Amino acid sequence: MEPAEKIIQHAGGVIGVSWLMIALPLLGAAILLLGGRRTDRWGHLLGVAMSLASFVVAVLAFVELIGLPEAQRRRGVELFQFIPGMVDMGVLIDPLSISFALLITGVGSLIHIYSIGYMSHDPARRRFFAYLNLFVAAMLLLVLADNYVGLYVGWEGVGLASYLLIGFWQQKPSAATAAQKAFIVNRVGDFGLAIGIFVIWTTFGSVAYGPVFGAAGGADQGVLTVIGLLLLLGACGKSAQVPLQSWLLDAMEGPTPVSALIHAATMVTAGVYLVVRSGAIFELAPTAQLVVTIVGVVTLLAGAIIGTAKDDIKKGLAGSTMSQIGYMMLAAGLGPAGYAFAIAHLITHGFFKANLFLGAGSIMHAMNDEVDMRKYGGLRKFLPVTFATFFIGYLAIIGFPLLSGYFTKDGIIETAMHHSAILGWLAVVGAGITGFYMSRMVFMTFFGEKRWADDAHPHESPAVMTWPLIILSVGSIFLGGYLILGNTFMQFLAPAVGRPAELPVFHFFSVPGLATLALVAVGAAFAWMKYGRAQVPVVAPRGSFLTTFARRDLYGDAINESLFMRPGQWATRFAVFFDNRGIDGLVNGLAAMIGGTSGRLRRIQTGFARSYALSILFGAAVVAGALLLVGNL
């Protein structure tokens, strides 16, 4: 990696006011929350306007950045002292941060627009848009901050906003529980990230990216390994990677635009950003880097397996997100050769996964909020735009040739194959499973005979919901080839993440690519035989042990309960017992002994002089007797 400490301080042009990207949606959230019901009539429009304005600033900053020589594409903007003498808060505009800013504000704005139609009948729509703005602002702070403390503030802001959005329909016990679960599980990862930042400060005397990465080469490898593993723990929480993945599927209890925002453009991408941004540390800690790849490949397989047995369309897509983030994490663990593929897949995934989630929302809008795919069937005739855009997203995610996912995911698989045949072939297997569960979803939803209830009247969504789908589907088609061919994106990212010693070349229909396509085709064919051609029962059959294993999320909750929750309960009960019977028992026993002794001694105080004289005489006799006894000895 090139020297990362060379950040050019810049205070002019659009980059000089790039903090507006954060400030505008934050201002929108403040107005909508503090303005109360007076903003109900136009609150949703303000929320969309603030997100779009932030997108415009991001585009202008991007244009200004690419107009600079490559060596100068790391611009810092100092803002204020966050912790006097320790942390100066600033914004870093470089190819990595601006790529995320464009994705967050661009896809985020489309989700805002879509939400106008989706939430049109919700009485708390204004509050919903306030939370969306807050979410976008926090995520932008996370990726634009020039130091780990600023990243952590945004990290926690995203956690708060996700809690508010997942539990938005708090009148539903399942939504409230899901929000609490997401918040608590993320606290585990956040604790690791916080400790990691403390170790960074102790080791380098700074938390700013430039000084830390510049001095990383002189640090002890063991310390760097500890830092890398702690940062990875934080990444696992936010990006729902094994073993902190259990919150992700329950997060589907929130409104569907929330699912699209969390799963496509914002929260789950934060962990990948953290690992790639900290590449200078991971490259000097090969053990931590290896663990990143292992976590990625385990998660991509686990998420794909979970997706095979979900009848809830949103939970099926959630398992898919978990799997696709696993691909990104795998690539991020491969060093400079994998960074560009990781971020490119993150960007293309932002488009086709937002497309799929919003498409699922369009289906729910047409089906009285029904999420069970077994109660769909034949919907392509009734929802032509939703079907066409959803089908494009489906082709992109399975890696159909020349669509976005083909270039980015196959690029990850080929790079992993060069690094380790085991990792590469496991990624190929994951792609085959993706072909099955995504084809299953399409066949159960849009093909076959109708299986919905008589009170359902499927109809296409309004234009305010379908136009975002169309725009996202266009990105799902073309974006991957634009980023990958000719190493365009790798060259662009180089000033931020370094350039590999040898630039990889994307091979059309390479051996791993052909194997991937073959397995995807087998998975799709199997799904057609089981769900496209055959009759799909409205009630899911019991299934085998493997089916139950997948339906129960690989027993992730049971494992967490057995390994962490139950021992925690036992430890708490022991601590309470020890406190009550041990600490309190000792204190209370000592107090009782003193109280009892004083009560008995109090009886001696009679108030009669003759009693005191008798006591003195008795005491004097005892002392005299003792002296005589000692003298005789």
Side-chain angles (χ1 to χ4, degrees), residues 23 54 129 141 144-145 185 221 239 245 296 337 348 356 426 496 507 510 547 572 580 585 625:
S54 184
F129 276 85
L141 174 60
L144 293 176
V185 173
Q221 189 179 87
S239 291
Q245 81 288 355
T348 58
L356 291 169
L426 288 175
H507 297 97
S510 61
T547 302
T572 301
N580 290 339

Side-chain angles (χ1 to χ4, degrees), residues 304-388:
I305 293 170
I306 288 172
T308 62
K310 293 297 180 183
D311 294 329
D312 183 321
I313 188 170
K314 289 174 65 177
K315 289 190 176 182
L317 290 173
S320 168
T321 295
M322 178 179 158
S323 179
Q324 297 303 308
I325 299 294
Y327 276 101
M328 301 170 207
M329 200 66 76
L330 168 62
L334 299 177
Y339 293 153
F341 287 115
I343 304 303
H345 191 55
L346 185 150
I347 293 172
T348 58
H349 176 264
F351 277 80
F352 58 68
K353 183 52 64 67
N355 182 14
L356 291 169
F357 264 115
L358 296 184
S362 181
I363 295 166
M364 293 167 58
H365 180 267
M367 297 295 292
N368 297 333
D369 290 328
E370 179 60 66
V371 295
D372 190 346
M373 293 184 292
R374 293 185 178 275
K375 298 178 182 178
Y376 292 165
L379 289 179
R380 69 184 187 280
K381 302 174 184 177
F382 301 90
L383 310 173
V385 177
T386 300
F387 167 67

Side-chain angles (χ1 to χ4, degrees), residues 351 355 392 404 469-479:
F351 277 80
N355 182 14
I392 289 171
S404 286
L469 295 177
I470 294 170
I471 295 171
L472 289 168
S473 65
V474 172
S476 302
I477 296 172
F478 299 109
L479 195 55

Side-chain angles (χ1 to χ4, degrees), residues 75-301:
R75 297 281 175 165
V77 181
E78 296 179 353
L79 298 179
F80 55 88
Q81 277 194 331
F82 186 68
I83 303 177
M86 295 178 63
V87 180
D88 293 327
M89 189 62 70
V91 169
L92 172 62
I93 302 297
D94 68 356
L96 179 61
S97 64
I98 201 65
S99 297
F100 272 83
L102 288 169
L103 176 67
I104 294 163
T105 57
V107 176
S109 294
L110 291 174
I111 294 171
H112 275 70
I113 295 170
Y114 176 96
S115 299
I116 294 175
Y118 191 87
M119 301 294 289
S120 60
H121 300 296
D122 196 296
R125 179 170 65 168
R126 179 259 311 164
R127 182 163 52 87
F128 179 77
F129 276 85
Y131 294 162
L132 287 184
N133 271 197
L134 179 63
F135 199 114
V136 169
M139 189 66 194
L140 286 169
L141 174 60
L142 190 158
V143 300
L144 293 176
D146 65 353
N147 63 84
Y148 281 105
V149 171
L151 177 146
Y152 188 77
V153 174
W155 194 274
E156 293 302 320
V158 168
L160 171 63
S162 67
Y163 170 78
L164 296 172
L165 285 168
I166 294 169
F168 183 75
W169 288 326
Q170 54 195 267
Q171 67 275 13
K172 295 170 53 180
S174 56
T177 301
Q180 293 173 11
K181 183 176 182 180
F183 193 81
I184 292 170
V185 173
N186 270 272
R187 295 291 70 73
V188 178
D190 294 357
F191 180 75
L193 176 58
I195 298 300
I197 294 173
F198 292 150
V199 177
I200 288 173
W201 169 260
T202 303
T203 305
F204 302 105
S206 175
V207 291
Y209 296 143
V212 170
F213 299 156
D220 180 76
Q221 189 179 87
V223 174
L224 293 176
T225 299
V226 170
I227 293 173
L229 293 176
L230 288 169
L231 296 180
L232 176 61
L233 181 59
C236 287
K238 275 292 182 288
S239 291
Q241 299 293 282
V242 172
L244 299 179
Q245 81 288 355
S246 61
W247 65 270
L248 193 68
L249 277 79
D250 292 308
M252 296 301 97
E253 290 294 335
T256 300
V258 174
S259 304
L261 191 63
I262 290 177
H263 287 244
T266 55
M267 184 169 176
V268 294
T269 64
V272 181
Y273 171 80
L274 177 62
V275 173
V276 174
R277 174 61 79 190
S278 306
I281 293 175
F282 282 96
E283 289 165 34
L284 296 170
T287 301
Q289 204 170 32
L290 175 62
V291 176
V292 173
T293 61
I294 294 172
V295 166
V297 79
V298 169
T299 306
L300 75 86
L301 289 171

